[in-house]
């Protein structure tokens, strides 16, 4: 007999985490696209970059106070568990997870760290002609040059990881017959695809919103507290 929908699916991702995910994907894509469009779009580049920074700050806090599947303690595992999981894909019974699997967990942490580095280095970066990050002029040239270098190299590491991320999700669908995208949209997974039908009980929307406001305020302060750049010295012309 067909089970009622409420029993056939289990809530595994809370609403805050889903909004976070798709907003992060949009901000990172927006930051990349706007710097490709040229100097006229650098204000937008900074806006998308700062949005990505606020989202990661939110996610770091959510990893401690959010529902079970969002918590770092639920999915960050020692490397040997990651290796065991990869080996288990070739043989043995298929393991099910309500949240991130050990390999996915590694890429989650790495992507969050890379976006954080990308956005923080951007704050001290400059194109040396049209646009400076808000903290650029208070840093010695040697430091801002280093940040600029990290900003350009780290971006390609991030792009590689995002490509692997999307590739792994496609491989899950192709080889393991598991659609991970629908749960990241709806929050729900078929019960048979979770670990013993376990999901999350509450989504804590009030706390998620309060943290979102606090994260945005923190990034606003980080940008707003940067001292005004000194006036341009036109005597040199
Ligand atoms: C710039 C692009 C992207 C970035 C930076 C990104 C980043 C992330 C991060 C950080 C997570 C972990 C979520 C969390 O626990 O906080 C995640 C999970 C996930 N992402 Fe993305 N993502 C991107 C694009 C995409 C795209 C295009 C898709 C759809 C094909 C996608 C599908 C998913 C899915 C299904 C999960 C959950 C994986 C699981 O079940 O363990 N992501 N992504
Ligand atoms: C996730 C967020 C971000 C991404 C993905 C990103 C990506 C990029 C990329 C790909 C470049 C071109 C690098 C090169 O090839 O030289 C760039 C340049 C730049 N970014 Fe970002 N960025 C982000 C955040 C920020 C933030 C928050 C700022 C702060 C204002 C910023 C400031 C700059 C500046 C000033 C440049 C010009 C550097 C140059 O032309 O040499 N970025 N960014």
């Amino acid at each position: 007999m067909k089970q009622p929908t409420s029993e056939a699916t289990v809530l595994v991702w809370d609403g805050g985490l889903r909004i976070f995910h798709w907003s992060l994907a949009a901000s990172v894509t927006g930051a990349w696209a706007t710097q490709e469009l040229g100097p006229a779009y650098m204000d937008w580049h900074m806006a998308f970059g700062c949005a990505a920074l606020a989202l990661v700050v939110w996610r770091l806090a959510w990893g401690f106070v959010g529902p079970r599947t969002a918590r770092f303690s639920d999915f960050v595992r020692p490397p040997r568990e990651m290796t065991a999981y990869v080996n288990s894909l070739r043989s043995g019974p298929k393991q099910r997870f309500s949240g991130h699997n050990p390999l996915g967990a590694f890429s989650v942490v790495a992507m969050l760290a890379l976006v954080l580095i990308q956005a923080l280095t951007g704050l001290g970066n400059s194109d040396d002609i049209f646009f400076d990050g808000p903290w650029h002029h208070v840093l010695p040239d040697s430091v801002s040059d280093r940040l600029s270098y990290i900003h350009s190299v780290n971006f390609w590491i991030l792009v590689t990881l995002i490509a692997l991320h999307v590739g792994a999700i496609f491989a899950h669908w192709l080889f393991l017959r598991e659609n991970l995208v629908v749960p990241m949209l709806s929050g729900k997974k078929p019960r048979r695809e979770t670990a013993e039908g376990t999901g999350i009980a509450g989504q804590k929307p009030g706390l998620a919103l309060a943290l979102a406001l606090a994260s945005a305020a923190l990034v606003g302060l980080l940008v707003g507290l940067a001292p005004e750049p000194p006036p341009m010295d036109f005597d040199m012309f």
Side-chain angles (χ1 to χ4, degrees):
M1 197 179 80
K2 198 168 176 268
Q3 282 187 320
T5 318
S6 61
E7 296 215 343
T9 58
V10 177
L11 184 70
V12 292
W13 302 121
D14 60 274
L17 189 130
R18 284 176 278 145
I19 294 174
F20 155 80
H21 176 265
W22 297 112
S23 309
L24 183 72
S27 313
V28 171
T29 309
W32 163 75
T34 45
Q35 68 77 33
E36 286 288 325
L37 286 172
Y41 291 86
M42 282 312 272
D43 283 342
W44 282 99
H45 178 72
M46 174 160 146
F48 278 118
C50 288
L53 178 59
L55 286 161
V56 173
V57 169
W58 179 88
R59 182 63 182 97
L60 293 179
W62 204 234
F64 294 97
V65 299
R68 184 180 58 79
T69 52
R71 292 198 182 208
F72 296 122
S73 59
D74 185 66
F75 62 81
V76 176
R77 294 277 167 264
R80 67 185 146 74
E81 282 192 34
M82 199 173 81
T83 331
Y85 170 73
V86 173
N87 289 336
S88 79
L89 290 176
R90 279 180 275 149
S91 58
K94 190 171 166 192
Q95 283 175 275
R96 299 290 187 185
F97 298 88
S98 304
H100 298 299
N101 65 51
L103 188 59
F106 171 78
S107 82
V108 169
V109 174
M111 278 193 286
L112 292 176
L114 290 171
V115 176
L116 188 64
I117 292 170
Q118 189 68 19
L120 288 178
T121 52
L123 297 178
N125 197 0
S126 166
D127 63 4
D128 293 328
I129 311 170
F130 301 106
F131 187 82
D132 292 341
W135 288 90
H136 171 73
H137 60 278
V138 289
L139 300 170
D141 284 353
S142 60
V143 175
S144 59
D145 285 354
R146 175 106 4 128
L147 293 183
S148 181
Y149 175 75
I150 299 174
H151 199 73
S152 54
V153 173
N154 185 68
F155 175 71
W156 288 107
I157 305 176
L158 179 62
V159 167
T160 308
L161 211 68
I162 292 171
L164 287 173
H165 171 60
V166 176
I169 284 156
F170 184 65
H172 258 268
W173 173 75
L174 200 62
F175 300 115
L176 301 177
R177 292 273 150 236
E178 209 175 342
N179 187 333
L180 299 176
V181 179
V182 169
M184 207 20 113
L185 288 165
S186 69
K188 293 175 187 161
K189 260 188 189 178
R191 182 177 286 275
R192 66 189 140 71
E193 286 183 13
T194 61
E196 292 160 3
T198 51
I200 53 173
Q203 305 202 54
K204 307 186 183 183
L207 183 60
L209 186 62
L211 276 178
L213 295 175
S215 308
L218 197 70
V219 173
L221 271 179
L222 189 63
V223 172
L225 286 180
E228 282 290 310
M232 293 276 273
D233 181 6
F234 289 106
D235 286 351
M236 61 193 216
F237 294 110

